[in-house]
Amino acid sequence: EMEAKYTRKMQALRDEMDLRRKTEIHELEERKNTQISELLGNHEGAFGAIKNYYNDITAKNLTLIGILKEQVEDLKKKETVLEKEKADVLLQNKGLMEPLQQTQELVAELQKKLVRYDRDKEALMNSKAHLKVTQKELKDLQWEHEVLEQRFSKVQAERDELYQKFTKAINEVQQKTGFKNLLLERKLQRLLSLLEQKEVELSEVVAASNLDPSALSMLSHKLEDVLSSKNATIQDLQLQLARVCKAHNDMLQTFEARLTDFGIPLDNLGFQPLSFPLLGQ
């Protein structure tokens, strides 16, 4: 009974499990069918889109191929024309080679001339700059020349005025020194004459008086004292005369030096300045 009981239970459980399994299988088949349907729908849509896309591309490519074929035909025609033109150009080039060579030589010569022109242009610019500097220096020199001319005129006027004053002063000094020298010489001559006269008188007195030697000695000493005093006076006069002559000569030398500085020849004075000899010359 127990075996029958458990056999019945086992059969019931088996039937239940089979039913559950069938149910799950059925549900699983339905989900799979739904997914397959969705995938088929999606694939059909995608395939349709791709088909349309590639159909468009194919149509465009066919159109483009047609256009390219037409272009290729046009290019072939153009190529044929260009080949003919190329042949004509080659013939023209052969004819133009000699003129081209001549033209190239001319271009080379012109380039050399252009280089020389650039050098000449640069030299001209430098010359213009130097000319501007020279013109400025010329203006400065002209201005300095005008200033120097004005200064020269002023110095020349001062020179003429100084020349006149100096000539007048020379004449006055010559007159004064000549007059003073004449007075000194006359005074000296008078003193010398007086000395000679006194000596003669003294000799006559000594010869006529028959004085004794002591008195004669005393008289001689007095006479020597007088002579010494007169000689001292004569030396003083000679020294004064020498100083005056030296001052006169110094003034003449200064005058000649000033004339030389101003560029005046000594011959333009119109007279020869008198130079007095120094003492002992």
Side-chain angles (χ1 to χ4, degrees):
E1 290 176 359
M2 287 179 67
E3 184 178 359
K5 182 179 179 181
Y6 282 105
T7 301
R8 285 192 301 273
K9 286 183 178 181
M10 179 67 69
Q11 186 65 37
L13 181 59
R14 186 174 294 169
D15 294 335
E16 185 180 357
M17 293 297 292
D18 288 334
L19 181 62
R20 186 181 295 176
R21 180 177 60 81
K22 288 178 181 180
T23 303
E24 290 177 356
I25 290 172
H26 180 69
E27 291 177 356
L28 182 60
E29 287 179 353
E30 286 181 354
R31 286 197 300 271
K32 287 181 180 181
N33 291 327
T34 302
Q35 290 178 357
I36 289 170
S37 298
E38 290 177 356
L39 289 174
L40 287 175
N42 293 332
H43 288 168
E44 287 178 357
F47 179 75
I50 291 172
K51 185 177 180 180
N52 294 328
Y53 174 73
Y54 282 104
N55 286 331
D56 294 336
I57 292 175
T58 303
K60 290 179 180 179
N61 288 334
L62 291 174
T63 305
L64 182 61
I65 288 170
I67 294 171
L68 291 175
K69 285 181 178 180
E70 293 177 356
Q71 290 180 356
V72 167
E73 291 178 357
D74 294 335
L75 289 174
K76 286 182 178 180
K77 293 178 182 179
K78 290 181 179 179
E79 184 179 2
T80 304
V81 175
L82 290 174
E83 287 291 336
K84 293 180 180 179
E85 292 179 354
K86 178 181 177 182
D88 295 335
V89 170
L90 289 175
L91 292 175
Q92 292 178 0
N93 287 338
K94 289 181 180 179
L96 294 174
M97 283 299 294
E98 185 176 355
L100 177 62
Q101 186 176 0
Q102 295 177 356
T103 305
Q104 288 177 350
E105 293 176 355
L106 180 61
V107 168
E109 184 66 25
L110 291 175
Q111 286 179 350
K112 292 180 181 178
K113 290 183 179 180
L114 179 61
V115 172
R116 290 196 295 270
Y117 171 75
D118 292 335
R119 292 177 182 174
D120 295 338
K121 185 177 180 181
E122 185 178 0
L124 179 62
M125 292 177 65
N126 294 330
S127 299
K128 287 182 179 180
H130 184 67
L131 179 62
K132 289 182 180 179
V133 174
T134 305
Q135 288 177 351
K136 186 177 182 300
E137 291 179 354
L138 178 61
K139 290 182 181 178
D140 295 337
L141 290 175
Q142 288 177 350
W143 181 77
E144 290 180 359
H145 178 68
E146 292 178 358
V147 173
L148 289 174
E149 281 187 346
Q150 294 177 1
R151 290 178 61 186
F152 176 73
S153 301
K154 184 177 179 181
V155 171
Q156 193 172 16
E158 292 177 355
R159 181 202 65 183
D160 295 337
E161 183 180 359
L162 180 61
Y163 176 74
Q164 293 175 0
K165 290 182 180 179
F166 206 69
T167 304
K168 184 177 179 182
I170 285 293
N171 293 328
E172 292 178 356
V173 170
Q174 283 185 341
Q175 291 176 2
K176 291 180 181 179
T177 54
F179 182 71
K180 190 172 183 180
N181 291 336
L182 182 60
L183 291 178
L184 291 173
E185 288 177 357
R186 289 181 179 178
K187 188 174 181 180
L188 181 60
Q189 289 176 359
R190 286 198 303 271
L191 291 174
L192 291 174
S193 300
L194 183 61
L195 178 61
E196 291 176 356
Q197 184 180 356
K198 293 297 181 181
E199 288 179 351
V200 172
E201 290 177 358
L202 179 61
S203 299
E204 291 176 355
V205 169
V206 170
S209 61
N210 294 323
L211 295 174
D212 57 352
S214 59
L216 183 59
S217 177
M218 186 180 297
L219 185 60
S220 296
H221 285 300
K222 290 182 179 180
L223 183 58
E224 287 177 358
D225 292 337
V226 173
L227 289 175
S228 297
S229 177
K230 296 300 181 182
N231 288 329
T233 303
I234 290 171
Q235 289 180 358
D236 291 337
L237 292 174
Q238 287 177 347
L239 288 175
Q240 291 180 10
L241 179 60
R243 284 196 295 270
V244 172
C245 291
K246 187 176 184 304
H248 178 74
N249 292 334
D250 292 341
M251 183 181 64
L252 286 178
Q253 291 178 359
T254 304
F255 177 67
E256 291 176 357
R258 294 293 292 173
L259 289 178
T260 303
D261 293 338
F262 284 108
I264 302 174
L266 298 177
D267 298 335
N268 292 345
L269 289 177
F271 62 91
Q272 182 65 33
L274 181 59
S275 178
F276 294 101
L278 298 178
L279 185 63
Q281 294 181 353

